[in-house]
Each structure stands twice: as C-alpha cells, then as structure tokens.
Amino acid sequence: MGVSTAYTPLRAKLWTVLKFPISLHHWNFIMKSCPEAPLHPAVSPTETELRIKGIMEKLDQLSSTTSTTHSKATLLSPQDTYCRGDQLDVLLEVRDHLGCRKEYGGHFLRARMSSPALKAGASGKVTDFNNGTYLVSFTLFWGGRLSLSLLLIHPSEGVSALWRARNQGYDRVIITGQFASGTSHVNTDCALVLNSSAELCENLESRDQDAFYLKPPHIPCAALTHMHSKNKEVSYLSKQERSLFERSNVGIEMMEKFDAITVSKCNKKTAPMKKKCKFGMASTIPSGHVWKDTWNPVSCSLAPIEMKECLRGKFIHLMADSTIRQRMEYFKSSSNTLKSVDLHEFGKFQNQFAVDLNKNINIQWQKHGYPLTGSLTYSVKEIEYVARVIDRTGGEKNTIIVISLGQHFRPFPTDVFIRRALSVHDAVQHLLLRSPDTMVIIKAENIREMHNDVERFSDFHGYIQYLAIKDIFQDLNVGIIDAWDITIAYGTDNIQPPQSVVRNQINILLNFIC
C-alpha cells in the first residue's frame, strides 16, 4: 500500500526531516582495516569445504556486528566536582567483534541517568555522527548521586533488518471477522491488504482511501459484528538476523564500567522562574526530568491543578488505544462524583463515557479505527476512524480532544501509520479552522517491554512513529504530551506505565486546559 499522491509533498518532507541513519547493505559490511584472509586457489569444492564456507560466511556476518565489549565509552572533560545544571558528555566509539571501529552510524541507543533513592530520572541526548561515533549528553538536573546508562537496544544491522522486515508485509497479524447469520456465527479473514481472488468487503474511509478488507463467507458485508486478532507465525528476518534480537542481545549496557557521579549545588544562582506550560512552546531534548516522582519540564513549569474545578463544564474526548484508556480509568478512580454511563457494550475495547452532573463534566474514551491488535474480541459496530469523529465534532472552547496513535500500528508497514497520521492531521486542521478555540492534544507513544516480540513491537518502530507524529503536527496549534521522553525518564519499559506516570501526564493535560 502506498501513500496517495495527494500527500506526496508532505511525505517527501517527512522523510527529509527524519533522515534515518539506515542502510540496508550494512549487514555484510566488513571494514577495510580488517581484511579477510586470502582465499585458497580455486578447486572443485568438496562437501566439507562447502560446509566450511557456509560457516565462515556466518562468522563474517556475526563478526561485523556491534560488540559492546570492544566498543568504548569515554567521559569527556572529567571533573572532580560536577555542578547542578552542567552538561556531562560521553563519546561512544562503536566497534565490531573483531575490534574494528565501525564506519557508519544507525545504532538504536537509549541514554538515561537516574537516582533511584530520589525517584529521579531523565533521558540523555544521543548525537549520531554517522561514522561509528556518538556524543551522549546528560544535563545534570538535580544534585546527589547519579547513575549513567547507555543501552544498545539494537545495533545498526538490527535496525536495518527491522526497517526492511516491517515494510515487507502486512500479514504478521491474523485478523478474524465474525459475521452473524441468523443464530449462527461465521468467521473469516480480514486484513489491511488481503490477497484473495474471492469477492471482498471493503471498509473504505472515502476521503483518505484508508481501506480495510474482509472476505465474506457468502454473507452480506453488513453482517460483520465482531473481530479479534492474533500474531501469525511469520518472519521476514533471516536466521542470522533473528539472532540479533535474542534477549541477551537487546538492551545491552554500554557504560557498565562507569561509576556513579556526585553532583553538587555549587552555590549557583537561583534559576529564573519559568513560564507556565502552554501550547506552542519549543521542544527540547530532553524535554524534562523526574524528581521525587514528579515530572518537571525544561522549558516551562507545571502547577498543581485541582482536577474537578479545572474540568468544570468541559467535554473531554479521548481517542486512542489502551494507553489513553488509562487516563479515562484514572479520571474515574480520582473522582467519586464522576459516574460511568452504561453504553451497553462489552469487552476491554468498549467505548466508555463518564459524567459529573453537578460540575457538568463529560469524559469519553473510544478506540481508534483499524488496525486493532489483540486476542480480545470487540464489537465493530461502534468503530470509527479518528479523522471521521473529528470531522463531525463541532468544537468550541470547552471541548478538549486528546489523540494517541502508535502501538497497534507497529506490526504493519510504516506507510499505514503515516497515512493515518496525515488523515488525522487534516481533520484537526479543518476543526481548528472552523473552531479555533477547540483544544487538541497529541499524546506521543510510551516505550514498552524491550524483549517481547521484537520484530513486531520493537521500540525502534515506535521511535520512527514518534518522529513522524512530531513532524506531521508541527504546523498546527496543538499541545504535545511527550510520553516517549517521560517514560524513558521514568524507566518504565511498560506499554501501560504505573499510575505515577499516568498522574504526571494528566497534570500536563490539566495545565494545558487550565
């Protein structure tokens, strides 16, 4: 599936901005400084020689991948005393298993500093020089003992393999549709792309040509009632590539030999008061830090907000996956006057609606349109694409729309996500033209479990989508909750982070609203 020509300029701009340091030929790359042994004169190969050749080819491939043992991290300009607010820089030189320095970049790295006793953490900034070296910068936000971490999530060979494999097929997830026929039910295959010569049902988002296909078992298309999915036993990775994603090769510490550092206040001048967080403020890397389990943005300040008073008279429409449903559940558990309304649906994916009649608060959560991955069965009767919901939203100053896309798109080619994000962008743009007082907030993806089904759900896929979302929505007056950076700072590695993370993200939302 390709992105329609109507979006070609924006898509070209998107790929230019992202500048992925990815090359699909690095897998067999051997540096010139590490030459291979000379070959023997050509003779008719025996069976043993052929086996030796096969083993040698595999060893060549493995020896050219990144070795955390041979790679070297060096602290630049080490100090006897570090002061709060200083920047600490580390130079990473990446080498392969032969000890040869790599001549290209593209590694997927995650930098973080933390003080568990203070419930403090922050991400670090990684600069790829595309020559095998990286600059890792940490801003020392707080005083005390700090531990530094730099994880090699995937080497560049793994990144290249994931990128190629993701964009190679639509069949990693088996989606089953249930059709009702009288008192019986019939199941059939459904997919974003369905290779079949049989007659198909086409669920088409007409404006954006965003389609979903079903193969009806001699039953009208309108008889579709429920769906569920499961992962298919298929892989687009070679055996050697799959070895890169074994548990022992994912998330390896590159700074294991670094001791914790001590940061002092150093009697520096008091930092100037920051303005209250609002739309349109410049994004930074990192965007903030956690201290005493509380999120502190770099460019603005968050005030404690009394939730019920802030939401008085507001309609909050949450449109997304289960990571946004957590916000709905948090709202309901935090207010004894916010009551759920029975919408006569069932299952985890059912739409939710809650009201506070005294304060005229209305909060609704609904799932985004296809794809929805997971073994739970859900009703398709209430499914709508986010763009379509926004198109029929009147909007006004008391309407707040919160959108999050990402986790369910990771197993599918990247153009599926980009097409959907562009569709939502256009719908939001039209909404803000007809109702500029409407508040729209985009929540970025969370990081998730590092070792679960890497080919389908790696955070590398999420990172690509995170960059895409930030680029696509940068021209609109929308708020961004940088959940990617926040969940790295907290070190959660959980698709549904703990309540403390949800609470802090909701505080950002309340500061935007009030």
Side-chain angles (χ1 to χ4, degrees):
M1 182 187 296
V3 177
S4 63
T5 54
Y7 294 126
T8 299
L10 184 51
R11 183 176 70 163
K13 172 192 172 192
L14 176 63
W15 296 128
T16 300
V17 171
L18 295 185
K19 295 179 181 176
F20 299 134
I22 297 169
S23 172
L24 300 183
H25 65 269
H26 286 155
W27 180 241
N28 293 309
F29 182 89
I30 301 291
M31 293 177 60
K32 293 179 181 178
S33 59
C34 298
E36 297 181 8
L39 298 175
H40 294 290
V43 294
S44 298
T46 64
E47 180 181 353
T48 299
E49 288 170 337
L50 289 173
R51 291 174 64 187
I52 292 172
K53 181 181 179 182
I55 293 170
M56 288 298 296
E57 287 176 349
K58 291 180 181 179
L59 291 174
D60 280 345
Q61 291 177 336
L62 292 174
S63 64
S64 66
T65 60
T66 300
S67 165
T68 55
T69 302
H70 290 90
S71 298
K72 183 179 180 182
T74 304
L75 183 61
L76 300 180
S77 302
Q79 306 291 323
D80 293 331
T81 302
Y82 292 96
C83 298
R84 191 171 63 184
D86 286 351
Q87 179 172 300
L88 184 149
D89 292 323
V90 174
L91 182 67
L92 175 67
E93 188 179 79
V94 177
R95 295 181 176 271
D96 63 23
H97 286 271
L98 297 177
C100 303
R101 205 188 87 181
K102 293 191 146 185
E103 294 182 344
Y104 50 84
H107 292 71
F108 186 40
L109 300 163
R110 179 174 298 161
R112 179 175 182 260
M113 64 179 189
S114 61
S115 298
L118 297 173
K119 295 184 177 180
S123 68
K125 179 181 179 181
V126 179
T127 303
D128 185 349
F129 295 118
N130 296 310
N131 62 0
T133 62
Y134 298 79
L135 180 66
V136 185
S137 301
F138 297 95
T139 301
L140 306 179
F141 289 111
W142 65 88
R145 295 278 289 174
L146 276 70
S147 297
L148 304 178
S149 169
L150 180 63
L151 298 181
L152 174 64
I153 309 296
H154 305 307
S156 53
E157 294 80 10
V159 166
S160 297
L162 287 175
W163 177 254
R164 188 204 71 247
R166 177 179 181 178
N167 294 293
Q168 200 164 328
Y170 295 81
D171 58 347
R172 290 179 187 79
V173 177
I174 300 172
I175 304 172
T176 302
Q178 187 179 92
F179 288 79
S181 178
T183 57
S184 63
H185 297 90
V186 181
N187 293 334
T188 188
D189 294 335
C190 309
L192 295 168
V193 172
L194 196 58
N195 296 321
S196 174
S197 58
E199 181 182 355
L200 300 176
C201 295
E202 182 183 59
N203 186 315
L204 181 67
E205 175 62 32
S206 58
R207 186 186 68 185
D208 305 300
Q209 299 299 299
D210 207 344
F212 189 81
Y213 298 95
L214 306 99
K215 185 167 62 178
H218 310 294
I219 296 176
C221 295
L224 176 69
T225 60
H226 296 84
M227 296 180 72
H228 67 271
S229 67
K230 65 178 181 179
N231 294 336
K232 184 179 179 180
E233 293 298 323
V234 62
S235 173
Y236 291 99
L237 300 173
S238 69
K239 183 177 180 181
Q240 285 75 29
E241 288 170 338
R242 285 196 294 274
S243 70
L244 295 173
F245 307 112
E246 294 173 357
R247 178 176 287 269
S248 59
N249 293 329
V250 176
I252 307 173
E253 182 58 65
M254 306 284 281
M255 297 175 61
E256 195 169 25
K257 297 179 181 179
F258 274 59
D259 295 327
I261 64 168
T262 300
V263 179
S264 304
K265 292 183 179 180
C266 299
N267 297 319
K268 286 196 171 185
K269 294 181 180 179
T270 304
M273 291 291 292
K274 292 183 287 189
K275 295 180 179 179
K276 183 177 178 295
C277 293
K278 60 182 181 180
F279 284 15
M281 288 190 161
S283 177
T284 61
I285 302 174
S287 61
H289 70 280
V290 181
W291 188 68
K292 292 187 177 179
D293 215 20
T294 300
W295 178 248
N296 297 270
V298 168
S299 57
C300 59
S301 65
L302 294 171
I305 303 289
E306 206 290 311
M307 187 178 76
K308 286 193 283 189
E309 284 305 313
C310 177
L311 299 183
R312 181 189 290 271
K314 300 292 192 296
F315 179 81
I316 314 292
H317 200 154
L318 309 171
M319 290 182 272
D321 51 30
S322 60
T323 65
I324 284 287
R325 190 180 66 232
Q326 278 189 288
R327 278 83 190 143
M328 182 71 177
E329 293 163 353
Y330 181 90
F331 283 132
K332 291 191 294 186
S333 64
S334 300
S335 173
N336 55 11
T337 58
L338 195 63
K339 304 298 182 183
S340 294
V341 177
D342 187 357
L343 299 177
H344 302 284
E345 300 176 25
F346 78 95
K348 269 285 189 181
F349 283 134
Q350 65 178 294
N351 293 342
Q352 297 185 30
F353 188 60
V355 297
D356 183 329
L357 295 178
N358 291 330
K359 295 188 181 295
N360 191 24
I361 300 171
N362 297 266
I363 305 177
Q364 178 176 337
W365 174 84
Q366 72 179 97
K367 51 192 171 290
H368 61 62
Y370 311 113
L372 289 167
T373 59
S375 59
L376 297 172
T377 299
Y378 56 91
S379 170
V380 303
K381 298 175 184 178
E382 300 83 16
I383 284 184
E384 287 186 278
Y385 288 104
V386 170
R388 188 181 298 173
V389 176
I390 295 172
D391 281 343
R392 61 175 176 77
T393 299
E396 44 84 44
K397 66 178 182 179
N398 288 316
T399 299
I400 295 95
I401 294 174
V402 184
I403 303 164
S404 184
L405 300 170
Q407 297 287 349
H408 291 265
F409 290 81
R410 292 190 185 189
F412 301 96
T414 314
D415 71 317
V416 175
F417 177 79
I418 292 175
R419 181 190 293 271
R420 189 65 55 81
L422 291 171
S423 174
V424 173
H425 169 277
D426 290 352
V428 170
Q429 186 176 46
H430 297 158
L431 170 64
L432 295 179
L433 284 173
R434 66 178 179 267
S435 181
D437 290 336
T438 306
M439 185 171 290
V440 179
I441 296 164
I442 309 295
K443 176 201 158 292
E445 288 184 54
N446 303 331
I447 62 170
R448 63 179 296 161
E449 298 80 4
M450 204 176 296
H451 302 98
N452 289 357
D453 203 346
V454 175
E455 183 175 352
R456 288 181 180 85
F457 295 110
S458 168
D459 270 342
F460 169 69
H461 300 320
Y463 182 63
I464 296 300
Q465 295 175 172
Y466 166 68
L467 295 179
I469 280 289
K470 290 206 299 183
D471 185 81
I472 288 172
F473 284 92
Q474 67 177 335
D475 64 326
L476 298 181
N477 185 31
V478 299
I480 301 290
I481 297 177
D482 195 343
W484 186 269
D485 195 48
I486 293 172
T487 48
I488 289 177
Y490 273 95
T492 56
D493 293 329
N494 192 325
I495 188 174
Q496 294 189 341
Q499 285 291 90
S500 59
V501 179
V502 175
R503 182 187 72 249
N504 277 275
Q505 292 184 10
I506 283 188
N507 191 44
I508 299 173
L509 172 64
L510 296 177
N511 272 261
F512 282 156
I513 296 171
C514 302

